[in-house]
Amino acid sequence: MDVDRRTVLGSVAIGTASASFPKSAFAAGEKPYRRIACEEGFLSPGVLAQNKISSTSALQLISADGPAAFLAGPLLDLGEGRIAAMDADGIDMQLLLLSSPGVQAFDAATAASLAGEANDYASAACARYPSRFAALAALAPQDPAGAVRELQRAATLPGIKGAIVNSHTNGEYLDATKYWLLFEALEAMDLPLYIHPREPAGSMNQIMAGPVVGGPAWAYAVETGTHVLRLIQAGVFDRFPKLRVVIGHMGEALPFWLPRIDNRYRFNLRGPSKLARLPGDYIRENVWITTSGMNYWPQLEMTLKVLGPDRLLYATDYPFEKQGEAVGFVEAMPLDAAQKKALFEDNATRVFKL
Ligand code: MN
């Protein structure tokens, strides 16, 4: 029996449609929304240099002479070259995130110093191009109190709109209570936290390896989705009900899994729940999701249906994904103008106060 390849290869069909999409921004006088991309990578000179020093086969940090050296130039460039690429691809604004794993693979002193350097570097770009760049503050959770101090310092710099943590730090997740002063600071300052993937912690990094299982194919999503569920399980959102968490890659598979998590949470409980609500309630109320690298209509449509139109933000994952192609994929989707305005502009403006 013939399988409908248009259904099986839905993303390919969308990709074909996008080939004719004009990469330049809207025609003159026809600009119904700005396109804001919310998970766009960069590296500072200091972090790029330290990546080379710290690189091991388990970490695969991006350095100027490593296997991913072709990404070093685009990641370092927060100037004319990146602006020209954004213009060509129809991106009005990028929210800059220090590329994974940020400073979290370094020793505490090096990490704290380089978080400051990276935040200054990103903020200087925001000051030069205030309508084109905003940024999140990289943090070094190795020293939680120091991370809070850096957050408080960085939040006073031009363009800094929240914080980023690249999942685990030395195998520890933010649900450990020693990190809760970070949540306290974020909630008090009304700033969102982006939790971005990195390679899984400990022995999981050996199990979740290879071209099918490892990296962004599957491992990153499981790693980061698990991180968010650990926060819920620990009661972080009961203690900090106004905390806003943002995750990428269409929610790291959580929207698909949501009803089963709620259903089996009830089953797993052997006594009264320690949580005020069901796990999925915290995802619906405390978590926002970006599309980074997941420009597939069935997945996007389902996420909109499960979480509602206010929770989904556009992201490219530049320079790891092609910016113009991603814009073309999303523009080709059967969304009306109001839905596209929410996805490309309004939700980002609201969550990150852009
Ligand atoms: Mn990314």
Side-chain angles (χ1 to χ4, degrees), residues 39-41 97 100 194 196-197 249 292 317-318 320:
E39 191 203 291
E40 315 310 307
L97 282 65
S100 182
Y194 208 116
H196 186 276
H249 315 102
S292 48
D317 213 349
Y318 178 89
F320 305 97

Side-chain angles (χ1 to χ4, degrees), residues 4 28 33 43 84-85 91 101 136 166-167 172 190 195 224 247 287 290 302 325 340 347:
D4 185 347
Y33 44 82
L43 283 172
I91 293 292
L136 300 181
N166 291 285
S167 204
E172 291 186 335
D190 196 18
I195 303 180
T224 311
I247 54 176
V287 177
T290 76
M302 185 213 68
E325 192 177 274
K340 284 187 182 172
N347 294 342

Side-chain angles (χ1 to χ4, degrees), residues 224-226 228-229 232 247 250-259 261 283 287 289 302 306:
T224 311
T226 302
V228 172
L229 294 177
I232 292 170
I247 54 176
M250 204 64 88
E252 314 290 9
L254 292 178
F256 183 85
W257 211 246
L258 220 54
I261 293 169
I283 291 179
V287 177
I289 282 168
M302 185 213 68
V306 169

Side-chain angles (χ1 to χ4, degrees), residues 40-44 48 62-63 68-79 81-83 85 94 96 99 121 133 318-321:
E40 315 310 307
F42 81 96
L43 283 172
S44 63
L48 185 65
I62 293 170
S63 62
F70 67 98
L71 290 167
L75 283 166
L76 201 56
D77 176 12
L78 297 183
R82 185 178 293 234
I83 296 288
Q94 285 190 349
L96 303 169
S99 196
Y121 186 69
F133 293 136
Y318 178 89
F320 305 97
E321 302 279 345

Side-chain angles (χ1 to χ4, degrees), residues 109-130:
T110 304
S113 157
L114 286 177
E117 184 256 359
N119 295 337
D120 289 344
Y121 186 69
S123 176
C126 297
R128 275 197 306 278
Y129 304 97

